[in-house]
Amino acid sequence: MIKRLTRPHDGRMLGGVCAGIGEYLGIDPTVVRIIYVLLSIGAIGTPIIVYLILCLIIPES
């Protein structure tokens, strides 16, 4: 079976990008969210733009 990166309906907070990445990688979505917050602190504004682009690109499950 082929793994596909999708945004799930359950477990999502905003757009479901972190939850989808967590499911795809097989890790807890909370870990992905913590990494995202740490990246957001270091790179001002860029992760927000990347998140919005991923929200548009990654299909919903």
Side-chain angles (χ1 to χ4, degrees):
M1 184 171 205
I2 298 174
K3 286 176 42 173
R4 297 193 68 198
L5 179 60
T6 59
R7 295 183 295 132
H9 289 286
D10 56 334
R12 69 189 329 181
M13 292 215 154
L14 292 176
V17 174
C18 292
I21 292 172
E23 284 184 7
Y24 183 77
L25 296 176
I27 59 175
D28 188 28
T30 306
V31 175
V32 178
R33 290 180 185 117
I34 291 171
I35 292 170
Y36 174 77
V37 168
L38 292 175
L39 288 175
S40 295
I41 292 170
I44 302 168
T46 304
I48 296 170
I49 295 170
V50 170
Y51 188 91
L52 292 174
I53 291 171
L54 288 175
C55 234
L56 295 173
I57 293 175
I58 299 174
E60 290 191 33
S61 61

